[in-house]
Amino acid sequence: MVMDPQTQFEQMKEEAFYSMEGLGRLNPEKLDFYVDYLKFQVEHGFYDGDANLNILKLYQFSPDLITRSSIDNVHLVLAKALMRLPNSDYVFCRAQLSQEMIDDNLTKKIDDIATLLETCQFPEFWNVIQEEKIFSEMTGFADSARRFICHVVQLTYKNIEEDFLIQLLGSIDKDQFMEIVAQKNWEHNGDSVFVGHKEEMVEQKEIIEKMPIEVVAPILAIR
Amino acid sequence: MAWQGNVAAMPVQMQMYYQGAGNTTGTTTGSQGEVAEPVVNFLKWFYHFIEKREIYHVENMYEDGYYKISDFYFKDKPWPSPEVVQGIVEEKDEACIFMILYRELYYRHIYARLKPTLEHRFDSYANYCELFSYLLTAEEPVKIELPNKWLWDIIEEFVYQFQNFQQFKSKAGKINDEEKSMLRDDEDNVWKVTAVLNILLQLTEKCNINAQLIAAKKGEPITEEIAGEFGMKPIYAVTGFFSLVGLLRLYVLLGDYHMALSCIEHVQFKDKDMMALVPACQITANYYAGFAYLMIRKYGNTIQLYQHILGYMQRTKQFFQNRSFQADDINKKNEQMLALLAIASTFCPLRLDESVNIQIKEKQGDKVARIQHGDMAVYDDLFFSGCPKFLSPVVSENPTSPFGSSGPRGLQLQVFKAEVEQQKTDTYFEEFLEAVHLHTYLKLAKFLDMHENEVRCCLMAFKHKKEVAKGDSTDQTTMDIDFYVDKDMVHISDTKIARHYGDYYVQQVLKLKESNKLILGAALTPVVPANTA
C-alpha cells in the first residue's frame, strides 16, 4: 500500500522527533534514516529543520561517519534552510560546518546565494541560481524564495512599481504575478502595486525618557 | 605559614576553626607533611556540619572559610590530599558524600591555582561521576542539602574542566609520551562530550525543570505532579536549573546555537526566583544567551539581555569587591559583554541606556569610531575580545583533522564575518538616511555613489536586517531611523529623541554620595602623627 506523501511525512517526522529525544539525537546509527528523511523532504517539498540540523551535528560529533557523499547531504541541508528565510535556519546550519565542508565549491556557491538573499539583491539571485541544478531539483525552492521576497517588499514599500516587482520575483509571467498579488491581498493599480500603509512608521515621534523605578530607587533612599 | 590575623577580632563563625589554636603554628602530621591546626579544625567542623546537614553553617564555611583558608594556607599548593583528610575526620568510607565533596573542592583548587596533571584530570572526572551518580541513582531524594552557590560552582566547574580537557588535548605538541599513552589506554573515555552532555541532561530531567519553568511562567504553583518527587526537593530543582545554564554554555561553546536557545526556551531572564539565586549563574546565563542571539543576528535580544545584566553588575559591584577571584571573573565578563554590545549596536540602530553607552565609550570608544570610519577589520578584534573559548566535540591527536587548523574559533569567526560583509553597506547607508528627510532613489544614488538599483536593494536589505535584529525582544527600544518607500520616493522618519538625562543624573548623585561618605569618614578618623625621632 502506497501512502500519500503527507502521511509519510507525518510518520517520519514523528519517528525523527522520538529518536532525537535527549541524547538519542547523537546516535550515529540513525544517520541513514535522517538522510533518507532529508531526501524525502527535498523531493516532496516538506521541511523538518531540527532533523536536518541533526545530520550536521552527527557529522560534527562523529567525523568517522563522513564519507565522500556526505558533502551532498550538507548541501541539501543548507539549501533547504535557505528556503526558510527570514528565519535563522541557515545560520544555525552554517555554524556547524567543518572547514572542509566550508571550502567545498558548491558550499561557497550556496553561501554566496545566501548573501545575495540577505542583501536583497534579488535580480542577481535569480541569475545565479540558474547555474546550479541543486536548486531546480529542490521542490518548492523558487516558491519559498518568492515568499521571502514578498515579505521584504511588504516591510519596505507602500507602493511599488509593477515592472520592478516582476523583476524582483524572477521575471515571472503575468498570470503568476497576478496570482501572487491576489494571495498577498495587495492592490494592483495600473503600473504599480499597493502593498500597505506605512505612514505611521515615519510619523514624527518624540521619544520621551522613561525611567524605571529601579534606576531611581538608589537616590530616593538618600537621607 | 602562620595565621597573621587576630583570632579574637574574627567573626564568631570563623573563630571556632581556631579553637585551641593559641598555638597557631600547631600542626597535625599526615602523610603529606604537616597540616596546620586551623585547617584541621576547619575540616572537622566542615565534616560535622555536612553530616549533620546544618546548611546555614555549611554555607558560611563554604562561602567564607574555604576561600580565606585557601588564600592563606594554600596559595600555591594543594589542600591536604583526600587520604589525609579522611584520616583527620576519622571517616571510614571513602565514598561517603563528605569525601566526594571534599575531593571536588580539592581538584577545583588545583585547577584554579596550580596546573592539573593528567592523573588529576582523570581522578576529578571519576569524582564528578560519583557525585552525580549519588544524586541521580538514588531511589528516593537524597537527604543532604547544599548551599546554592556550591551547587552552581559544581556545575560551572564541571563544564569548565571539560573545556580545559579539550583545550589540553588540542595542544598535541605539548603532550608528553607518557600522557599520550595514558590517553590512548583510557577505556573509560574520560571527559567524553556525550557523557558530559548526558549528565547535564539527566540532571535537568530528574527534576522536570522545564515543566516547572512552564508552570512558573503561567503563574501556577509547583506541585509534585508537575515536578515529580525529586523535583520538589531544592537540591534537585536548583541543580536542574543550573544544569540548564550549563547546557546553554556547553552548546554555545560547540557552536550549536539552536540547541543552546532551545535549552533556555522557558527560562525567564528577569525571574527573581531561580535566576536570581546565584549572581554568577545569572551573569553566565545572560552572557551565553546574548552571545547565541548575536550569532543568529537577533541583536535586539542581545542588547536587551546585556543592558539588563550590565546594569545589574554595576549596581552590585560592591558585593564582589571582597572576593578577588570572583571580581576578576566578573570584570572579564563585563569587558566581553561590552565588546559584543559594541558590535550589536553598530549592526542595529537601537538606542542604548545612557549608563551602558558611557561604559562602551570608555572601553571600546576608539574601536566603534574606527568602524564608523569604515574600518571593518576592527570587528575581528571585537569578536575575539567578546567571544567565548569555543570547542570542538572531537579532538583528535591528528592535527589535520577535518575541522582544520583554524580551530573552532576560526570557524565561528567565519560565520560572523559573513554578517559583517552583509552589513557593510547598511552602516554606510545609515549615515545618509540620518541626514536627509525625503528623497528619490536617484538623489540617494548620487549621494552614495551607487547605481539606482543598488540603492533599491540596499533599502530592502536594511529593512530585512532590522526586522531580523528585532527578534523577540520586548523592551521599548527605539529605532533611530525608519523609512518606507513609495514608488520612487523614500520617506524617512523624523524621530526626535529627547535628551536622556536620567541615568547620568542618577550616576552623578550616587558618586557625590560616595564622595561625601569618604570625606566624612576621613574627618572622623583621628590622624595619628608618625613618630619621628
Side-chain angles (χ1 to χ4, degrees), chain B residues 215-255:
Chain B
K217 225 193 241 182
K218 290 195 221 159
E220 289 168 11
I222 312 287
T223 61
E224 188 161 330
E225 205 185 314
I226 298 174
E229 189 193 354
F230 287 85
M232 290 304 283
K233 296 233 53 203
I235 189 173
Y236 285 96
V238 169
T239 310
F241 182 80
F242 291 157
S243 301
L244 268 186
V245 180
L247 278 169
L248 161 69
R249 174 171 163 199
L250 195 46
Y251 282 129
V252 170
L253 293 175
L254 295 170

Side-chain angles (χ1 to χ4, degrees), chain B residues 456-475:
Chain B
R456 291 173 195 245
C457 293
C458 272
L459 289 167
M460 286 192 285
F462 190 94
K463 277 292 198 175
H464 159 58
K465 284 289 187 192
K466 296 331 161 203
E467 187 70 14
V468 170
K470 238 189 346 197
D472 29 42
S473 59
T474 50
D475 266 354

Side-chain angles (χ1 to χ4, degrees), chain B residues 295-494:
Chain B
M295 288 305 282
I296 61 164
R297 290 113 190 238
K298 291 199 171 166
Y299 307 113
N301 291 56
T302 306
I303 292 175
Q304 184 180 4
L305 286 173
Y306 283 0
Q307 284 202 121
H308 169 240
I309 197 66
L310 285 169
Y312 169 79
M313 285 158 82
Q314 277 281 70
R315 290 195 293 276
T316 56
K317 220 177 359 190
Q318 65 231 77
F319 297 123
F320 300 113
Q321 300 297 29
N322 53 349
R323 299 264 172 76
S324 57
F325 69 94
Q326 269 186 345
D328 281 343
D329 272 344
I330 287 169
N331 284 334
K332 173 114 205 282
K333 281 278 172 310
N334 202 319
E335 303 275 329
Q336 285 179 295
M337 286 195 269
L338 284 174
L340 297 173
L341 207 45
I343 294 178
S345 65
T346 60
F347 286 156
C348 183
L350 294 175
R351 189 144 286 272
L352 298 172
D353 282 346
E354 196 55 37
S355 55
V356 172
N357 240 339
I358 292 175
Q359 283 189 62
I360 293 187
K361 275 211 184 78
E362 263 177 61
K363 300 277 166 83
Q364 308 288 356
D366 57 326
K367 296 216 172 82
V368 176
R370 277 160 66 191
I371 291 177
Q372 282 164 347
H373 282 103
D375 181 3
M376 295 291 146
V378 176
Y379 277 118
D380 284 27
D381 290 336
L382 283 173
F383 185 76
F384 285 142
S385 329
C387 73
K389 293 203 172 81
F390 293 109
L391 298 174
S392 165
V394 174
V395 183
S396 62
E397 286 171 26
N398 176 9
T400 58
S401 72
F403 285 85
S405 53
S406 48
R409 191 177 73 157
L411 294 175
Q412 297 305 317
L413 178 67
Q414 289 176 52
V415 178
F416 173 68
K417 288 303 276 281
E419 172 71 350
V420 174
E421 266 304 306
Q422 289 169 11
Q423 290 269 1
K424 222 167 37 175
T425 15
D426 278 5
T427 5
Y428 187 47
F429 206 60
E430 221 179 293
E431 290 175 17
F432 288 94
L433 287 184
E434 277 188 358
V436 306
H437 181 47
L438 187 74
H439 268 293
T440 60
Y441 285 133
L442 284 172
K443 276 211 173 129
L444 268 178
K446 275 219 195 84
F447 273 130
L448 293 163
D449 197 20
M450 284 160 74
H451 194 260
E452 188 184 312
N453 272 336
E454 276 183 87
V455 174
R456 291 173 195 245
C457 293
C458 272
L459 289 167
M460 286 192 285
F462 190 94
K463 277 292 198 175
H464 159 58
K465 284 289 187 192
K466 296 331 161 203
E467 187 70 14
V468 170
K470 238 189 346 197
D472 29 42
S473 59
T474 50
D475 266 354
Q476 290 295 319
T477 37
T478 52
M479 293 265 262
D480 269 354
I481 286 286
D482 210 350
F483 65 85
Y484 71 89
V485 184
D486 192 359
K487 294 201 225 176
D488 65 342
M489 291 296 278
V490 183
H491 297 253
I492 300 159
S493 69
D494 188 16

Side-chain angles (χ1 to χ4, degrees), chain B residues 46-47 49-53 89 91-105 127-136 142-146 150-151 154 235-236:
Chain B
F46 207 25
Y47 174 71
F49 287 133
I50 287 180
E51 290 292 309
K52 291 282 180 273
R53 295 177 202 134
V89 302
E91 170 58 61
K92 292 199 193 60
D93 179 11
E94 67 164 9
C96 76
I97 189 60
F98 172 77
M99 285 315 299
I100 297 177
L101 290 170
Y102 176 75
R103 280 195 286 267
E104 196 270 315
L105 295 175
N127 193 49
Y128 275 120
C129 287
E130 271 193 58
L131 175 57
F132 293 127
S133 188
Y134 174 78
L135 285 174
L136 290 168
V142 299
K143 301 266 187 319
I144 190 174
E145 283 174 35
L146 287 175
W150 196 348
L151 292 172
I154 287 174
I235 189 173
Y236 285 96

